[in-house]
Amino acid sequence: MPRTTKDILAHADELAKRCEDYEPREGDRRDPAALAELRAAVVARAEAERQLVDHIVSARKRGLPWSTIGAEVGTSGEAARQKYGPLLAS
């Protein structure tokens, strides 16, 4: 299972593409509504992760310390810095 935000976003995009490219074959018994719901959830999660990264970048540009950002995302400041810090340069 992916661990970094970048891995999570890539995995979500991969799952979304699989759902988008799905073509039923003879004998498939998948519920299209369930696949559509799954795809929507994957897309929503990916968008939420993208928004979180955008807001973290904005917070850092406005001078918020990693300790405050960490507290808001439910982790330590150091863990937040390690996870999101590399994304600031991207």
Side-chain angles (χ1 to χ4, degrees):
M1 206 61 194
R3 293 279 183 197
T4 68
T5 301
K6 188 175 182 178
D7 291 342
I8 291 168
L9 293 174
H11 187 247
D13 289 340
E14 177 188 326
L15 290 175
K17 177 128 178 65
R18 270 197 244 164
C19 289
E20 289 171 359
D21 293 346
Y22 172 70
E23 290 292 332
R25 294 173 297 190
E26 188 72 32
D28 280 350
R29 295 191 186 275
R30 296 179 181 161
D31 179 356
L35 287 171
E37 291 166 358
L38 176 60
R39 180 182 177 277
V42 168
V43 169
R45 181 178 68 180
E47 181 58 31
E49 285 291 332
R50 285 186 183 101
Q51 287 179 7
L52 179 60
V53 170
D54 289 346
H55 292 300
I56 288 172
V57 168
S58 177
R60 286 297 296 158
K61 286 181 180 176
R62 293 176 178 180
L64 259 63
W66 284 113
S67 58
T68 301
I69 292 169
E72 289 298 317
V73 298
T75 189
S76 69
E78 180 61 19
R81 185 191 63 75
Q82 288 177 1
K83 183 173 183 177
Y84 298 107
L87 299 175
L88 296 178
S90 319

